[in-house]
Amino acid sequence: MDMLINGKHISADDLAEVKNPYNGEVIDTVPVSHLNNVDLAIDAAVNAKDSIQEMSAFKISNKLYAVYEKLKDNKDELAELLTKEVGKPINESVVEVNRSIETLKLSAEEAKRIYGETVPLDGGINGKGFFAFTQRVPLGVVAAITPFNYPLNLSIHKIAPAIACKNTVIIKPPINAPLTVMKFAELVNEEFPDGVINTVTGYGSEVGDALVTSPKVDKISFTGSVATGLLIASRAGMKKVTLELGGNDPLVVLKDADIDRAVNGVMNGAYLNAGQVCMGVKRIIVDESISDEFTQKLVRETKKIKMGDPMDKNTVLGTLIDEDAARMVEETVNNAVKAGAKILTGGKRDGAFYEATVLDNVTPDMDVVVNETFGPVAPIIKVKSTDEAIKVANDTEYGLQAGVFTENFRDGLRCANEIEAGTVFVNKQSTFRTDNMPFGGFKNSGTGKEGVKYAVEEMTKEKLIGLNLR
């Protein structure tokens, strides 16, 4: 599949294979872009700024609605392609595509709701007689860099809000899962002037770095690893940056929790997309007074998980993105066992598959919970009190989302206030997200917010206009 630059399909001499992680089949090839193509994409986006900024909000909204209808028409094809290139179960791919449709609809609506406000300058010295107001104006060119785990939805969370507030976009999808994103860009290009949406495929060290350092790019929106995010922050200069980075999200189960609800939270949080979720449940912090019952129920439910062909609608656990990723999870779990952890179920790898795994006797200093384990692993840490649970939950460099299970209103509010995360849910796991909510973390989990309304704020700048009426 070719890149889309200025409305034209562009290839390259070097091609990368996109493989199905389930069976190794080559699905397609994409160009390995070099600096010449990046320059073409940047120039196309710069030249298209006038064409989109001359469009009314009404027209942009209608065109985004048209793309929304096309996305609905192609949802079955895109879900199947998503499963083939990522290895997630088809049911999860359908959910991702449906969420993408919703995100696009929200963006079409938000295009008509980009407001300013009046500012009472007479509240300051010498402000009497002035009338002032603010307006939000587009930044210009937005470069979006996205990962493999939710390639379509995370890309639309950047592309659609950027266009809604009259920016042009260059999207660099993941080289190992670019196809659904590239197909979506084609749908956008059918409705908008050439150059409003451009795709470049290649490696971050060359393509990504060129976008980050270009003075013609006004905004970087990146989702990916902490290491890459820190590098982007150091090289972006004065352009605006939104970084959605890693997570090491806790699920806290207090002594008065509804244990069945908490177990269900782990099932929906630790194993979703084979654990390859930045806001997935990565640490299960359980009061020791209920840990035996909780653990027994979690093991029983985990053993029921069907692992297999991602295209089978009965499959719950698909592959990781590739065999190397599965090996990394295997090594992390094996190191935890050497350090004293105990595998209660799972713990085996088969190619790019890794079994849903429950680990007991985990201590907060083990690498499996110190760093983000990107795989279907449920590590249990026992604590003696709410105080200790909060302390362990906060003992991490990350702060994306968190979940707390308790029937005690006071403890629930206390945890929500004291756990250091961008979002804390009470009686819900950290993987819960609606596409209109503010999404973004504290600490090394990133800077800025996504969620359509909040992404629009990040992709515009505020201008004050003042009139002297004296």
Side-chain angles (χ1 to χ4, degrees):
M1 191 171 184
D2 291 339
M3 296 179 290
L4 176 69
I5 298 177
N6 202 29
K8 299 179 177 62
H9 295 103
I10 306 292
S11 189
D13 292 335
D14 298 329
L15 298 175
E17 293 180 337
V18 182
K19 293 184 177 180
N20 183 330
Y22 170 63
N23 56 21
E25 171 192 346
V26 176
I27 310 166
D28 205 340
T29 60
V30 294
V32 178
S33 180
H34 297 295
L35 294 180
N36 60 324
N37 288 322
V38 178
D39 290 340
L40 282 176
I42 292 173
D43 288 343
V46 170
N47 293 334
K49 285 193 297 184
D50 287 345
S51 63
I52 190 169
Q53 290 174 16
E54 287 174 0
M55 295 169 68
S56 68
F58 175 81
K59 188 172 184 179
I60 287 177
S61 177
N62 283 351
K63 286 186 172 295
L64 285 172
Y65 271 118
V67 181
Y68 158 81
E69 294 294 342
K70 290 180 178 182
L71 190 57
K72 285 199 298 184
D73 291 342
N74 288 273
K75 67 179 184 179
D76 293 339
E77 174 193 349
L78 287 171
E80 184 175 324
L81 181 59
L82 193 56
T83 287
K84 287 180 178 178
E85 65 177 342
V86 177
K88 66 174 61 179
I90 186 65
N91 292 333
E92 289 186 21
S93 293
V94 169
V95 171
E96 179 174 348
V97 174
N98 285 335
R99 280 189 55 202
S100 300
I101 292 167
E102 175 73 5
T103 304
L104 191 52
K105 182 180 180 181
L106 290 167
S107 299
E109 294 168 349
E110 197 64 31
K112 297 180 179 181
R113 295 198 292 248
I114 302 171
Y115 302 122
E117 62 181 6
T118 57
V119 181
L121 295 190
D122 64 348
I125 296 173
N126 297 323
K128 178 70 173 174
F130 278 83
F131 173 71
F133 60 93
T134 63
Q135 60 179 174
R136 302 206 71 88
V137 297
L139 294 175
V141 177
V142 173
I145 304 172
T146 53
F148 69 82
N149 55 340
Y150 286 86
L152 183 62
N153 185 247
L154 293 179
S155 294
I156 292 178
H157 262 292
K158 302 176 189 300
I159 295 169
I163 292 174
C165 55
K166 303 185 180 182
N167 295 289
T168 59
V169 181
I170 304 163
I171 177 78
K172 182 206 164 300
I175 192 71
N176 50 357
L179 301 177
T180 51
V181 181
M182 296 172 79
K183 283 188 176 293
F184 173 72
E186 298 280 351
L187 300 181
V188 175
N189 186 66
E190 290 173 6
E191 293 297 328
F192 286 90
D194 291 344
V196 168
I197 180 78
N198 306 275
T199 58
V200 288
T201 48
Y203 297 102
S205 56
E206 184 171 7
V207 173
D209 190 63
L211 292 171
V212 167
T213 57
S214 171
K216 297 179 181 179
V217 173
D218 302 289
K219 161 86 180 183
I220 300 293
S221 183
F222 170 78
T223 301
S225 71
V226 172
T228 304
L230 292 173
L231 183 62
I232 287 172
S234 71
R235 292 183 59 76
M238 293 295 290
K239 59 174 63 68
K240 290 185 75 172
V241 175
T242 295
L243 302 174
E244 297 291 349
L245 308 179
N248 196 8
D249 297 350
L251 185 144
V252 176
V253 188
L254 300 181
K255 61 184 178 182
D256 56 0
D258 182 324
I259 293 177
D260 291 334
R261 287 182 75 184
V263 167
N264 188 59
V266 176
M267 299 298 294
N268 291 325
Y271 308 138
L272 181 68
N273 196 22
Q276 301 170 117
V277 186
C278 60
M279 57 184 183
V281 171
K282 308 288 173 55
R283 297 175 295 147
I284 305 160
I285 302 166
V286 185
D287 191 285
E288 64 180 14
S289 65
I290 59 166
S291 62
D292 287 347
E293 181 183 356
F294 174 86
T295 301
Q296 289 169 10
K297 288 183 174 181
L298 177 60
V299 170
R300 184 184 67 208
E301 294 303 312
T302 300
K303 286 181 176 179
K304 296 177 183 177
I305 290 177
K306 175 178 169 55
M307 183 174 74
D309 183 352
M311 292 302 296
D312 183 343
K313 291 186 177 181
N314 294 313
T315 294
V316 175
L317 187 68
T319 68
L320 280 78
I321 189 62
D322 55 36
E323 191 168 345
D324 286 343
R327 285 198 188 97
M328 288 180 64
V329 176
E330 179 183 41
E331 182 180 354
T332 300
V333 171
N334 289 344
N335 287 340
V337 171
K338 291 175 185 176
K342 182 180 180 181
I343 297 174
L344 300 183
T345 187
K348 296 183 177 63
R349 180 183 66 82
D350 181 7
F353 284 100
Y354 193 83
E355 292 179 336
T357 300
V358 178
L359 279 180
D360 200 5
N361 298 338
V362 175
T363 57
D365 59 345
M366 291 180 181
D367 182 63
V368 70
V369 289
V370 169
N371 296 305
E372 182 181 25
T373 300
F374 225 49
V377 181
I380 298 172
I381 304 170
K382 299 184 183 72
V383 294
K384 300 179 185 298
S385 66
T386 301
D387 286 346
E388 187 181 359
I390 293 171
K391 181 180 178 182
V392 172
N394 287 336
D395 186 19
T396 175
E397 67 180 89
Y398 301 96
L400 187 51
Q401 300 206 147
V404 179
F405 283 80
T406 178
E407 296 299 296
N408 185 299
F409 184 76
R410 291 179 183 272
D411 284 345
L413 274 180
R414 183 187 169 198
C415 289
N417 283 323
E418 296 184 20
I419 290 176
E420 299 162 351
T423 302
V424 181
F425 290 111
V426 178
N427 291 326
K428 195 68 177 177
Q429 74 279 358
S430 58
T431 47
F432 181 75
R433 180 183 181 184
T434 63
D435 294 291
N436 63 336
M437 77 184 215
F439 178 77
F442 298 165
K443 305 192 226 183
N444 275 353
S445 285
T447 60
K449 294 288 184 181
E450 290 194 341
V452 174
K453 172 183 180 292
Y454 307 92
V456 164
E457 292 175 0
E458 299 277 351
M459 293 177 177
T460 53
K461 50 195 173 186
E462 190 172 51
K463 176 188 286 189
L464 177 80
I465 297 172
L467 304 175
N468 185 352
L469 302 181
R470 285 185 174 182

